[in-house]
Amino acid sequence: MKILLIAEHDNQTIKPSTLNALTAAGQLGDAVDVLVAGCNCDNVVESLRSQAGIHQVRVVDDERYQHPLAENLQTLILPLAEEYDGLLAAATTFGKNLMPGLASRLDVAMIGDVVEILSVDTFVRPIYAGNALETVQSTDHIKVLTVRSTAFAIMEEGTGQAEVTVLPAASTSARVRFVGQQLSDSTRPELSVARVIVSGGRGLGSAENFALLEKLADKLGAAVGASRAAVDAGFVPNDYQVGQTGKIVAPDLYLAFGISGAIQHLAGMKESKLIVAVNQDPDAPIFQVADYGLVADLFDVLPELIEHC
Amino acid sequence: MKVLVAVKRVIDYNVKIRVKLDQTGVVNEHVKFSINPFDEIAVEQALRLREAGVAEEVIVVSAGSLKSQETLRYALALGADRAILLEQEEDSESLQPLAVAKLLQQVAEQEQPGLILLGKQAIDDDSNQVGQMLAALLDWPQGCFASDLQLQDSSLQLTREIDGGLETLALDLPAVVTADLRLNRPRFAKLPDIMKAKKKPLQVIEIAQTGIDVTPHLKRLRVQAPPPRPPGVMLSSVDELLAKLGEEGVLQ
């Protein structure tokens, strides 16, 4: 099987989730090409050249791809699609924005958020926010997939010798234009890719108290999350929200402070590898999914953790 | 301008779902269903556009069994003007995103809306595909995971949630927009509006009559519960917690 992996990058560095997806691509096919569409993206291409597991890096370096607009990338990728048996991207907002339209233009289904590849046509994906796992078999001639990066380990680099080929740019749509972007404080990792998440609930009591969590997060190199209750109480903005209606996360370590553990919150974080919960209520449902629980006042625990971590 | 909003009837987000013993799906009996929360946000946005005078009519559309009429009635109670149900009684759960996108494409071609709003994903199959697929089929610009939108003449200034923050796009109408959580906070349906909604027009179109092939491209082999987490350990002090975190090697 020949696979085309669509790289996500910022024209400087490749997103780690693309390397997770490369592992998945290697499990699905025997030849994996990577498409890098960008502008002045030499560094990205260089880093992929030596990456193990890549047959060919196909590069389009043109100002049209300075920002990855789905419409323009689809026009570029569609004519390439027939050379492949599978098109793949990481299940990030980039992949989720791009891949479904490719699938519908090819008149094939898309299999989203794949967590396990059972065979060339059979995949496992979470449904109901991970409360069930669905195994599906595709009947299509081209498989269009996004894969959840937390489910596939990153391959070692440095042993590959990928061939680099250059593609011409394709036409672009005048009906959609990039206006600007506002990236969050880059000193802290994004929730969806963070290795450690420090999360707070209504028990934090106020927006000011979230500063304590942020202090711990910065010590651990962690992202800061919140329960819907904390968001609804106005402690933090909505993009902090972890849960079925917020972000779904699966870090190596999830530290929950003052979160009771409503179903919809658990649905967003229970795939985390290690869950630690601190709550004053010994009956809080969060303890049912926690690997380590501590019944204590989080205002006693947080300063101690900040000091010793 | 007409605004078309697609809505889906899903198991309520507060229900703890159970997988069927025969692994064919999840238990649907005696379970509360609601409008998909993201679709509710899409409906709210359409109503606000009408209230702001930029949209004249809000049409809600759903694909599924006759039970989806209750979801459409709810959207009508919130304030939508009329509803369309693309109905398939048998095996309505087998309607997959590609099929739904094709059905919506046909409705869009008939209704000629200036804007189509959808939730970014349904919380049952978590696909996050229909809006994008529809935009591509119609060859309209897409604005996915929207957290803000402003209409300016024939274009839309749209802010979308991306992994690293926010991105702003300008889209020419007609366009397809999918709603993220921050876009707005939906209103509640008031009792008199719920009564009034019963009299609003709701057109039922049998999917078999549309001529669209809705055969699933994905065969569902089984649905299983995720492996249970091993029981946790209750600790008695912060020191103990620090020791455990050290043992697990997760702090580096």
Side-chain angles (χ1 to χ4, degrees), chain A residues 71 96-97 107 128-129 133 135 137 139-140 175 177 179-180 182 184 195 245 270 272 291-293, chain B residues 102 124-126 132 139 142 164 166 168 170 172 181 217 219-222 224 229 233 235 248 252:
Chain A
E71 293 81 351
K96 290 175 180 186
N97 192 43
D107 197 26
Y128 293 93
L133 294 168
T135 303
Q137 186 174 30
T139 57
D140 290 314
R175 289 178 292 158
R177 296 166 299 279
V179 177
Q182 212 188 318
S184 314
R195 210 181 53 76
T245 50
K270 69 187 180 58
S272 307
D291 298 285
Y292 296 113
Chain B
K102 288 179 183 174
D124 50 4
D125 60 22
D126 283 333
Q132 296 91 313
D139 198 20
Q142 73 180 36
L166 300 171
T168 305
D172 288 348
L181 273 182
H217 288 224
K219 212 156 66 179
R220 178 182 266 189
L221 301 183
R222 58 189 168 272
Q224 292 164 297
R229 287 189 80 89
V233 181
L235 308 173
E248 299 275 357
Q252 263 66 62

Side-chain angles (χ1 to χ4, degrees), chain A residues 215-238:
Chain A
K215 224 168 172 180
L216 179 61
D218 290 342
K219 249 182 133 186
L220 298 174
V224 178
S227 69
R228 184 164 186 167
V231 173
D232 284 348
F235 299 166
V236 283
N238 210 349

